[in-house]
């Protein structure tokens, strides 16, 4: 009975400390975030609170202010050579020839210039952390840069501002970025599925002769047991198109499991336009030099 009373009392103390921390912003209650001492005392596993645990974990990481990070530019007299990407700070000293004074990426030093990694705007207007309203492909490229820095450079902390608060806890902007990144991955999967249904054509071009597009059973890097014929595949809501190889036999691509079809593949697909001056069933089509 006494043991149960001790457990209840300790839990109430932990809850009170968390509430105190949330209301007053004090770090005093961080003593209660790690309840391992309670587990040892009682022999029972007591779960921590997710929000206080996030704060606790964040507090173990150095959080730089914008002004602090600005002191790590690699210039003479600076404290080192750091940069931030999506709010995560990395020591890039080993890449001094790229990020130090005179290097092609020196503009990234001492700040978070996440947007410029995909826009190429290496000035004060472009070297900003805001990555909103970027294309799906741009977001995926930023993610590739994140993987690069995590693999090749040393993580040293977080930057207070756009992506993290002064405790190192993720801001709404970071959640928005991660959500947009998920949408970008969904878009990429849809693009890959489309490429499998409508593989890109081979192409060649000469200034004096014009060019041509043609299909093979490996065009677009998609190996298959059919060759197909070239068609213009337009993007929804725009006038842009790419050359796609389409099936000329079997069911349409959107009814691959259908047993009742005209054995014409995608030849009757109204969303696919024939090339001018090219036979509907030709495997190669000329592109005039206009």
């Amino acid at each position: 009975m006494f043991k149960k009373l001790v457990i209840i009392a300790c839990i109430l103390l932990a809850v009170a400390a968390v509430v105190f921390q949330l209301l007053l912003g004090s770090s005093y209650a961080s003593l209660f975030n790690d309840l391992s001492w309670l587990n040892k005392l009682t022999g029972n596993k007591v779960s921590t609170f997710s929000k206080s645990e996030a704060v606790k974990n964040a507090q173990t990481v150095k959080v730089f202010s914008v002004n602090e990070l600005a002191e790590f530019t690699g210039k003479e007299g600076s404290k080192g050579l750091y940069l931030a990407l999506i709010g995560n700070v990395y020591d890039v000293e080993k890449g001094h020839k790229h990020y130090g004074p005179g290097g092609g990426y020196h503009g990234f030093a001492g700040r978070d210039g996440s947007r410029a990694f995909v826009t190429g705007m290496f000035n004060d207007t472009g070297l900003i952390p805001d990555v909103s309203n970027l294309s799906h492909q741009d977001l995926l490229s930023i993610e590739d840069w994140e993987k690069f820095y995590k693999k090749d450079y040393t993580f040293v902390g977080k930057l207070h501002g756009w992506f993290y608060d002064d405790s190192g806890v993720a801001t709404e902007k970071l959640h928005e970025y991660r959500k947009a990144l998920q949408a970008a991955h969904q878009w990429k999967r849809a693009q890959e599925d489309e490429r499998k249904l409508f593989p890109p054509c081979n192409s060649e071009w000469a200034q004096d002769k014009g060019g041509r597009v043609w299909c093979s059973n490996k065009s677009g890097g998609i190996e298959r047991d059919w060759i197909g014929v070239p068609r213009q595949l337009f993007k929804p809501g725009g006038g842009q198109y790419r050359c796609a190889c389409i099936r000329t036999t079997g069911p349409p691509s959107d009814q691959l499991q259908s047993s009742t079809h005209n054995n014409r593949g995608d030849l009757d697909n109204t969303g696919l336009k024939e090339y001018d001056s090219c036979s509907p069933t030709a495997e190669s089509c000329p592109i005039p030099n206009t």
Side-chain angles (χ1 to χ4, degrees):
M1 182 66 181
F2 175 75
K3 186 176 182 179
K4 290 182 179 180
L5 289 174
V6 170
I7 294 174
I8 293 172
C10 291
I11 291 175
L12 289 175
L13 283 172
V15 172
V18 171
V19 172
F20 179 75
Q21 183 179 21
L22 293 176
L23 290 176
L24 300 180
S26 171
S27 60
Y28 174 82
S30 62
L31 293 172
F32 293 91
N33 289 338
D34 183 0
L35 300 183
S36 59
W37 58 273
L38 181 57
N39 294 334
K40 292 178 180 178
L41 176 64
T42 63
N44 293 282
K45 184 175 182 180
V46 180
S47 299
T48 56
F49 300 89
S50 58
K51 185 169 182 177
S52 60
E53 183 67 22
V55 173
K56 171 180 173 293
N57 291 336
Q59 289 173 342
T60 64
V61 176
K62 165 69 176 174
V63 179
F64 293 83
S65 70
V66 171
N67 290 336
E68 282 181 310
L69 185 59
E71 297 176 353
F72 291 81
T73 60
K75 294 180 180 179
E76 185 176 354
S78 70
K79 294 183 177 181
L81 185 54
Y82 293 176
L83 65 75
L85 175 62
I86 309 297
N88 292 309
V89 182
Y90 299 93
D91 183 339
V92 293
E93 180 61 43
K94 74 175 185 179
H96 193 278
K97 67 178 181 179
H98 302 296
Y99 302 103
Y105 292 96
H106 179 60
F108 290 101
R111 70 169 94 194
D112 187 333
S114 296
R115 194 177 189 88
F117 277 94
V118 292
T119 65
M121 293 178 62
F122 300 152
N123 53 32
D124 288 339
T125 301
L127 286 162
I128 57 176
D130 183 2
V131 293
S132 60
N133 300 316
L134 291 175
S135 69
H136 292 314
Q137 188 58 60
D138 283 342
L139 291 171
L140 293 172
S141 295
I142 289 177
E143 183 185 40
D144 286 339
W145 278 109
E146 285 191 274
K147 293 176 181 177
F148 168 73
Y149 283 103
K150 289 176 182 177
K151 177 178 179 292
D152 284 21
Y153 291 95
T154 302
F155 170 78
V156 293
K158 298 177 180 180
L159 178 62
H160 172 212
W162 197 263
F163 297 106
Y164 295 100
D165 66 16
D166 58 359
S167 295
V169 177
T171 64
E172 185 60 30
K173 293 294 185 182
L174 182 58
H175 294 313
E176 290 174 1
Y177 164 68
R178 296 302 182 195
K179 185 176 180 180
L181 194 56
Q182 289 180 347
H185 278 285
Q186 292 175 350
W187 168 83
K188 182 180 179 180
R189 287 191 291 270
Q191 293 290 304
E192 292 171 346
D193 291 342
E194 182 191 76
R195 284 173 60 88
K196 291 177 182 178
L197 288 178
F198 303 115
C201 308
N202 297 312
S203 64
E204 62 181 5
W205 176 265
Q207 185 64 37
D208 56 337
K209 298 179 180 178
R212 72 180 180 109
V213 290
W214 75 98
C215 296
S216 67
N217 61 2
K218 293 183 180 180
S219 58
I222 308 296
E223 293 194 33
R224 52 195 187 273
D225 58 4
W226 54 277
I227 295 177
V229 297
R231 287 292 188 274
Q232 296 175 359
L233 174 62
F234 285 83
K235 295 182 178 180
Q240 294 184 327
Y241 69 88
R242 69 171 178 86
C243 182
C245 296
I246 69 166
R247 299 172 185 268
T248 58
T249 60
S253 294
D254 59 353
Q255 302 176 31
L256 290 177
Q257 305 304 318
S258 173
S259 58
T260 57
H261 53 80
N262 296 326
N263 196 34
R264 286 176 52 81
D266 293 301
L267 290 174
D268 300 319
N269 188 325
T270 58
L272 299 164
K273 183 181 177 182
E274 298 176 10
Y275 279 88
D276 296 335
S277 304
C278 186
S279 168
T281 56
E283 295 177 1
S284 177
C285 293
I287 306 296
N289 186 358
T290 57

